[in-house]
Amino acid sequence: MTCEAVVKQLPLLLYGELTFDEEEAVYQHVDTCAACQAEMAKTASLHRRLDEAEPDVDAMLLANCRRKLRGAIADPPQKQSWFTWNWLGKPASALTMLAMGFFGGQMLPRNFNDPAPTASRVRFVESDAAGQVRIVLEDSRQRVVSGDMDDDSIRALLLRATRESTDPGVRVGTMDLLKTQSESVEVKRALLHALRNDTNAGVRLKALEALRPSAAQDDTRRVLAEVLLKDDNPGVRTQAVDLLMQREAPELVGVLQEIMSREDNQYVRMKVQRALADMNASAETF
């Protein structure tokens, strides 16, 4: 990256708006560039001063501004005067409300009670020996939410992280925490979605581990059979065979025979062949 590109990215970095790969690229450049290190320190100092400012912002005014902004975006007026569009082609009133909403949110006193905290990204999850879950969130600035697994808001954030976090390490940790709640319908749905769709094999393996208690249930077995046929990771396919064989069923024979006709991994073939033998079925289709 060039110094010019890094300087443009610094505000987004400090507010947690970059992807994991973009962050890595910025940090790699800053580590070797004294000028950008100084620029980062200056930008971080400015952000700290903004975060420390606590003017008396009326919460009702802030909420009204945000409500009006959402209305303006959802239903813009059909006709605009030249004055309304005279700055960058955008409605001046909407820009004013946007500025009030953003800077008001930044300068809101820290003791303001936000009843439903949300975050653009879940950056880190962990649990302690007492069963408390700690989640690091990034919104306009990083913050921490804590609670146990029975807390609906904690569980909702973990479920959100399974789909939205760009960090596979966070998704793996989330799977590990959710396995204690796998009897929940919404948690099970998230685990099955991760098993079918997550791009990281480690996350899919963690989802398989969490789904072990429900491996005999029909909806789980359907996804396991799909994974066995389509997943590109032999380790995931091997674990899927093991879970499917927790309950032998006639409909499995056709799936396993199809696997034998296309599987190129010798260990997976051996597992499938053994499973067919246990069911007194041929390894070949006729």
Side-chain angles (χ1 to χ4, degrees):
M1 295 184 72
T2 64
C3 291
E4 182 181 1
V6 168
V7 169
K8 290 180 179 178
Q9 296 278 51
L10 286 178
L12 297 176
L13 173 71
L14 294 171
Y15 277 128
E17 294 298 325
L18 298 182
T19 66
F20 181 79
D21 290 339
E22 288 171 336
E23 287 183 3
E24 287 296 303
V26 171
Y27 280 122
Q28 286 178 6
H29 177 92
V30 170
D31 285 344
T32 59
C33 178
C36 287
Q37 289 174 16
E39 187 65 29
M40 176 180 274
K42 183 170 69 173
T43 306
S45 176
L46 174 61
H47 281 236
R48 281 195 299 272
R49 290 172 189 164
L50 288 174
D51 286 343
E52 289 166 0
E54 295 190 355
D56 186 15
V57 179
D58 184 76
M60 187 61 69
L61 173 63
L62 179 61
N64 286 335
C65 288
R66 287 173 172 166
R67 176 176 55 78
K68 291 177 181 177
L69 175 60
R70 286 195 295 269
I73 293 172
D75 187 22
Q78 297 300 314
K79 294 183 179 180
Q80 299 290 343
S81 68
W82 175 86
F83 178 77
T84 305
W85 289 87
N86 69 346
W87 192 66
L88 294 180
K90 299 182 183 294
S93 58
L95 286 172
T96 301
M97 288 187 286
L98 176 61
M100 292 178 68
F102 177 77
F103 289 107
Q106 289 299 300
M107 297 184 290
L108 197 63
R110 285 183 172 79
N111 59 2
F112 175 69
N113 183 24
D114 183 359
T118 58
S120 58
R121 282 191 292 178
V122 176
R123 294 303 301 262
F124 182 74
V125 298
E126 67 175 1
S127 62
D128 59 24
Q132 288 286 298
V133 178
R134 181 171 174 267
I135 303 175
V136 177
L137 307 176
E138 284 201 357
D139 197 351
S140 57
R141 56 174 176 259
Q142 193 174 92
R143 56 199 173 109
V144 177
V145 176
S146 299
D148 59 37
M149 287 297 296
D150 294 326
D151 187 323
D152 290 341
S153 61
I154 291 294
R155 188 163 57 248
L157 286 168
L158 290 173
L159 290 171
R160 182 174 177 177
T162 65
R163 293 174 180 261
E164 296 184 10
S165 176
T166 59
D167 186 344
V170 169
R171 300 199 303 276
V172 167
T174 301
M175 295 290 138
D176 208 30
L177 290 170
L178 287 175
K179 71 182 180 183
T180 63
Q181 304 279 318
S182 60
E183 72 282 355
S184 162
V185 174
E186 58 184 0
V187 170
K188 182 182 176 184
R189 188 181 299 122
L191 295 172
L192 290 173
H193 181 273
L195 177 57
R196 297 173 74 177
N197 299 292
D198 200 287
T199 57
N200 185 276
V203 177
R204 300 199 300 276
L205 285 168
K206 276 293 183 181
L208 276 168
E209 180 184 339
L211 287 164
R212 186 173 294 275
S214 65
Q217 297 173 7
D218 290 340
D219 54 346
T220 302
R221 291 172 69 78
R222 284 193 295 271
V223 175
L224 288 173
E226 179 183 334
V227 167
L228 188 54
L229 289 167
K230 298 180 179 179
D231 198 285
D232 61 1
N233 185 276
V236 174
R237 299 199 300 275
T238 298
Q239 292 298 314
V241 173
D242 289 340
L243 290 186
L244 275 172
M245 293 311 297
Q246 286 188 13
R247 192 190 86 189
E248 296 181 5
E251 65 268 17
L252 273 182
V253 173
V255 173
L256 296 178
Q257 287 175 337
E258 184 175 352
I259 292 298
M260 286 297 295
S261 69
R262 65 167 72 179
E263 181 60 59
D264 57 2
N265 182 277
Q266 291 303 311
Y267 184 70
V268 178
R269 286 180 61 85
M270 182 188 71
K271 297 280 288 188
V272 172
Q273 190 170 19
R274 184 179 302 166
L276 286 166
D278 289 342
M279 292 189 291
N280 296 318
S282 170
E284 299 178 359
T285 58
F286 298 96

